[in-house]
Amino acid sequence: MKKESFLQVYILATLTVVFWGASFAGAKVALEQADPLLVMFLRFVLSLAMLLPTAWYCGELALPTPRQALVLAFMGFMGFFFHIGIQTVAMRSSGSATANWQMAAAPAMTALLASFFLKERLPRVGILGIILAFLGVTVVLGLGTKGARGASSYNFGDFLISLSVINWAAFMVLTRWLFKENRYPPVFTIFWEIFFAVLMCLPALALTGTDISVSAGFSRRTWEALAFLGFLCSGLAYVFWYYAAANIPVAKLMVFQFLQPLVGVVVAYFVIGERFTPWLFLGGAMIVSGVWTVNRRHS
């Protein structure tokens, strides 16, 4: 891939983690008026509304083969229905900063799985970059702001986030395998994964007796949060991320997620008024340096 193409991939990966870094705050806003399952369902429906014309424009709007449908249904469950479902439930009791901090463990977990299953290995300088970025995350979340609520005891929501980290690492390794070995087009893949996730939501809504009609009474603030989650966090962000996953090793791509907690802290500043400290800029510099170190020798 040309240098210009790599730059494009890195920009898209960075935009993705910006959206995801703010997604926990967006979920908390949406949950003020809706149950987790309804939030997830509406989020997926809005994503499909954006992905349908996107897939058509990219020439990737096609029916999957029976084998592809089975694979994509499984990935839709693993990466969307289950992953986003447990994260949405978790946001009822877990703090957004705590969730972002835990997600910082995903790159290391993914690098380990990619090394074992995909034979993708990082050089020593890459390992040092991961360590530097992780230390930067610790500085950002521990010392980067003032006015934040103190660290709470580990609760069920935090456990669900921990579970989502392991699931996400495995999901990304499988996604890279789909793109690398089976040539699944990125937009085609994300469209059908979310389509099957929507289908999975329907019986869950019926079994839990969730009333979809309550959405008519949602405030503008709630709909704005759902639009952000659907159009950007589940729709556009995954298109960007899948495009990147199709072009660079997953272990190197996942290092970009170290930027996610930094974004989360910045969003917290605007949403709940936390104040920056000089440590935020030091930690942010460490994170960016770590990401650059891991990716600078990619060829």
Side-chain angles (χ1 to χ4, degrees):
M1 187 183 293
K2 296 180 180 179
K3 182 177 180 180
E4 292 79 7
S5 298
F6 275 122
L7 179 60
Q8 182 182 39
V9 168
Y10 294 158
I11 291 173
L12 294 181
T14 301
L15 285 174
T16 298
V17 296
V18 167
F19 296 146
W20 287 346
S23 67
F24 291 116
K28 277 190 167 294
V29 171
L31 287 168
E32 292 174 0
Q33 284 194 296
D35 291 331
L37 184 57
L38 182 56
V39 169
M40 181 172 66
F41 173 70
L42 293 175
R43 175 177 178 170
F44 291 160
V45 169
L46 291 173
S47 298
L48 283 183
M50 189 277 290
L51 288 168
L52 182 63
T54 302
W56 175 81
Y57 178 79
C58 296
E60 297 181 19
L61 186 61
L63 290 174
T65 65
R67 180 180 181 277
Q68 287 177 328
L70 288 175
V71 172
L72 293 170
F74 173 74
M75 297 294 284
F77 171 80
M78 184 180 184
F80 291 91
F81 183 77
F82 179 71
H83 180 70
I84 293 180
I86 60 176
Q87 284 196 344
T88 304
V89 172
M91 283 299 96
R92 281 191 153 180
S93 56
S94 180
S96 59
T98 302
N100 273 304
W101 184 87
Q102 289 201 69
M103 289 306 295
M109 180 71 68
T110 304
L112 179 64
L113 294 178
S115 174
F116 185 79
F117 291 105
L118 300 178
K119 309 304 179 184
E120 293 181 357
R121 300 190 180 278
L122 286 173
R124 290 183 179 179
V125 68
I127 296 173
L128 290 175
I130 288 178
I131 294 173
L132 177 61
F134 186 79
L135 290 175
V137 169
T138 303
V139 171
V140 166
L141 294 179
L143 302 170
T145 61
K146 290 181 178 179
R149 184 178 59 187
S152 60
S153 58
Y154 191 80
N155 57 40
F156 181 66
D158 297 328
F159 166 75
L160 291 179
I161 294 296
S162 299
L163 183 61
S164 76
V165 170
I166 299 172
N167 178 74
W168 179 247
F171 176 74
M172 282 310 303
V173 170
L174 287 174
T175 296
R176 173 63 175 169
W177 174 76
L178 284 180
F179 294 151
K180 185 178 180 180
E181 303 295 336
N182 293 276
R183 307 295 182 182
Y184 280 52
V187 182
F188 165 86
T189 300
I190 182 65
F191 175 82
W192 285 107
E193 286 177 350
I194 294 183
F195 175 83
F196 286 117
V198 169
L199 294 184
M200 294 171 194
C201 286
L202 295 177
L205 289 168
L207 288 173
T208 57
T210 302
D211 184 7
I212 301 178
S213 65
V214 299
S215 59
F218 286 172
S219 67
R220 178 179 176 179
R221 172 182 166 88
T222 299
W223 279 114
E224 287 174 347
L226 287 169
F228 172 72
L229 293 171
F231 295 142
L232 298 183
C233 299
S234 292
L236 195 61
Y238 273 90
V239 171
F240 290 169
W241 195 252
Y242 278 19
Y243 176 78
N247 288 283
I248 63 175
V250 68
K252 293 192 174 186
L253 172 64
M254 288 295 289
V255 175
F256 281 88
Q257 280 204 260
F258 282 123
L259 296 169
Q260 185 171 326
L262 178 62
V263 175
V265 169
V266 173
V267 170
Y269 168 78
F270 290 102
V271 174
I272 61 177
E274 292 181 354
R275 292 185 288 122
F276 290 170
T277 73
W279 292 103
L280 176 70
F281 301 99
L282 174 62
M286 292 169 67
I287 294 170
V288 173
S289 297
V291 173
W292 179 80
T293 298
V294 172
N295 287 279
R296 67 190 179 95
R297 293 183 180 275
H298 185 70
S299 59

